[in-house]
Amino acid sequence: RLSRSGRVRTDALAALRIGEFRALSALGLLVMIAVQAQSVAIAWALYQITRDPLVLGLVGLAEAVPFISLALFGGYLADHRDKRTLMRIALTLMVAASGLLIAVMQTPVRNAMGPWQWLGLVYGSLMLMGLARGLFSPSATALRAFVVPRALYPNAAAWSSTAMQSGMVLGPLLGGLSYAAYGLTTTLWGCAALLVAAIALSLWLRPRPPLSHRAQGQSVMQNIAEGLQFVRRTPVILYALALDLLVVLFGGVIAILPMFAEEILLIGPDALGLLRAAPAVGAIITILICTRHTPTYHAWRNLLLACAGFGAATLVFAVSTHFWLSVAALFATGAFDSVSVVIRQTLLQIYTPDALRGRVQSVNSVFISTSNEIGAFESGLAAKLLGAVPSVLFGGAMTLGITGLIGHRTRSLLRLRVTPESQG
């Protein structure tokens, strides 16, 4: 229920008291751990075999291109088919891709063919994984709005983000430790087992008939365009997605952390691992705080403040020459970014009509994937042209400038008060 100020009074574990939401969150956690652990193991193995950094760059591209290509169509399917069934199909494809990777990465298979033919099979397996994720992501995200009541959308968004960030910490950690202790094949089998466990968790989800039906004479592309049109004519969602895209595009530094570790901070790979984990740790802690103290009432004000804080923390990291100050700055970027994630996910859940949830979430997925992949490329290119420190200073300054510009253009949204009773 609401307090006099309009804020929702709920306990921090409210969403987790719903069995279906627990199953959906645990399922998402297992998928994230499996994908991240597999990524670390494959990247390490490929570099040990080829010693070619371009091969590593193509790993992310192999998954990103099919994911972005299918995401919008995946959103269309999520609105016109049973979301639980689509998730199971996607998870089955992920298991198949994992099995193909296990076979391809065996030494006898690699020795039986030429290097480019072998790499083609590796990238083909990763592309299948990307296609599966393009189907899974909009279905799983859209389903969340159907398993929790509207009053718990902010709380559910916080816990879902916690699961995602936890997977981003645990996946690389478990993947690296498993590779070191048991080798590549065992690690990949473990990832496949996690995906099978995710399929088992889907048994706790109830089927839900689609609420959207294709109008007579309307093509699939016209149906997909409905999601894009809704985002375009809904300023609070359009600007929230654009803000996240541009902030991550210019402000992200993860891709060039090895450069900072070696040239600026003078640290080894063990300390680099701590740098990589710092943003996710900051995100998890902040999201847990958000489960009790939601930032969504003054949604637009807090979103702008979070993006500005992200830019400021990026500038601190750029000028830092002390390891622990750099860790703290990265921790802060994760904390500010997590506030942005909770607000953005809540806005998407509240303002999107049920019949469009899959398609709108697919647009969100495209924005996120594009910002991460192109942002990593932008970071590397800027660092090559400008140097490590100037490139990050440029990125932090761009983040603050973009936040100020969008804040100026959206002054009317500062009056927005987001409650579970808000209507799109």
Side-chain angles (χ1 to χ4, degrees):
R1 61 191 180 90
L2 300 178
S3 67
R4 290 181 179 179
S5 64
R7 293 180 174 84
V8 180
R9 288 178 175 172
T10 186
D11 67 284
L13 301 177
L16 291 178
R17 301 187 193 284
I18 300 172
E20 276 193 289
F21 179 75
R22 290 198 303 272
L24 186 60
S25 298
L27 185 157
L29 174 63
L30 291 181
V31 171
M32 181 60 72
I33 291 175
V35 169
Q36 293 291 322
Q38 180 179 273
S39 178
V40 167
I42 291 296
W44 181 262
L46 287 177
Y47 190 70
Q48 293 299 306
I49 294 168
T50 66
R51 295 292 176 179
D52 185 352
L54 179 59
V55 169
L56 299 183
L58 292 174
V59 168
L61 194 61
E63 286 197 44
V65 169
F67 174 84
I68 293 172
S69 301
L70 185 65
L72 292 179
F73 182 66
Y76 162 79
L77 290 177
D79 285 335
H80 293 80
R81 300 289 187 272
D82 176 41
K83 298 170 181 59
R84 184 189 66 169
T85 300
L86 291 173
M87 289 170 57
R88 288 177 178 172
I89 293 173
L91 289 169
T92 302
L93 287 175
M94 290 184 191
V95 173
S98 295
L100 186 57
L101 275 173
I102 292 171
V104 169
M105 295 302 293
Q106 300 303 308
T107 301
V109 174
R110 188 175 77 247
N111 292 338
M113 59 185 68
W116 289 110
Q117 184 182 10
W118 174 72
L119 282 174
L121 287 176
V122 174
Y123 292 139
S125 304
L126 294 174
M127 290 180 72
L128 179 60
M129 182 67 71
L131 285 171
R133 288 176 54 220
L135 179 62
F136 174 83
S137 180
S139 301
T141 307
L143 183 60
R144 187 195 312 146
F146 293 89
V147 302
V148 298
R150 178 177 289 270
L152 298 183
Y153 283 174
N155 188 259
W159 281 114
S160 296
S161 298
T162 299
M164 181 187 71
Q165 294 292 343
S166 298
M168 292 180 69
V169 173
L170 294 173
L173 178 62
L174 293 176
L177 291 175
S178 175
Y179 192 109
Y182 305 108
L184 174 64
T185 300
T186 300
T187 301
L188 295 180
W189 275 115
C191 295
L194 290 176
L195 294 172
V196 172
I199 296 175
L201 278 173
S202 71
L203 297 174
W204 271 266
L205 303 174
R206 292 187 290 110
R208 287 173 171 81
L211 299 179
S212 179
H213 301 279
R214 197 171 82 184
Q216 188 173 7
Q218 190 177 41
S219 69
V220 172
M221 292 307 298
Q222 289 172 325
N223 244 261
I224 292 174
E226 286 187 44
L228 294 168
Q229 291 165 358
F230 174 81
V231 170
R232 182 177 58 81
R233 66 175 182 261
T234 309
V236 67
I237 292 181
L238 175 62
Y239 281 111
L241 296 184
L243 192 58
D244 176 72
L245 168 65
L246 295 172
V247 164
V248 175
L249 179 66
F250 289 105
V253 298
I254 297 300
I256 57 173
L257 280 183
M259 193 174 186
F260 270 84
E262 185 172 346
E263 298 182 10
I264 308 298
L265 300 175
L266 306 179
I267 57 176
D270 50 346
L272 173 61
L274 184 55
L275 283 177
R276 285 290 303 265
V281 173
I284 291 172
I285 293 174
T286 305
I287 289 171
L288 289 175
I289 294 173
C290 289
T291 62
R292 183 171 294 275
H293 305 285
T294 175
T296 56
Y297 182 61
H298 294 282
W300 199 250
R301 179 200 69 184
N302 291 340
L303 183 61
L304 292 172
L305 289 174
C307 291
F310 183 92
T314 300
L315 292 176
V316 172
F317 176 80
V319 300
S320 171
T321 56
H322 299 283
F323 173 70
W324 287 109
L325 178 59
S326 298
V327 169
L330 291 173
F331 178 96
T333 63
F336 286 119
D337 185 55
S338 67
V339 174
S340 171
V341 168
V342 170
I343 294 173
R344 189 175 67 254
Q345 287 296 332
T346 302
L347 292 174
L348 284 167
Q349 296 287 357
I350 287 179
Y351 287 99
T352 304
D354 286 343
L356 285 173
R357 289 194 183 280
R359 281 166 284 179
V360 173
Q361 287 294 344
S362 69
V363 175
N364 180 46
S365 297
V366 169
F367 270 68
I368 292 173
S369 184
T370 301
S371 65
N372 288 336
E373 299 301 329
I374 297 180
F377 173 75
E378 183 276 335
S379 295
L381 180 62
K384 182 176 180 63
L385 295 176
L386 304 175
V389 173
S391 70
V392 177
L393 286 172
F394 169 77
M398 285 293 294
T399 296
L400 291 175
I402 289 167
T403 301
L405 178 61
I406 292 182
H408 178 73
R409 291 177 60 88
T410 59
R411 294 189 300 276
S412 61
L413 292 178
L414 292 173
R415 297 192 296 269
L416 183 69
R417 299 294 181 265
V418 175
T419 70
E421 284 69 30
S422 300
Q423 299 296 321

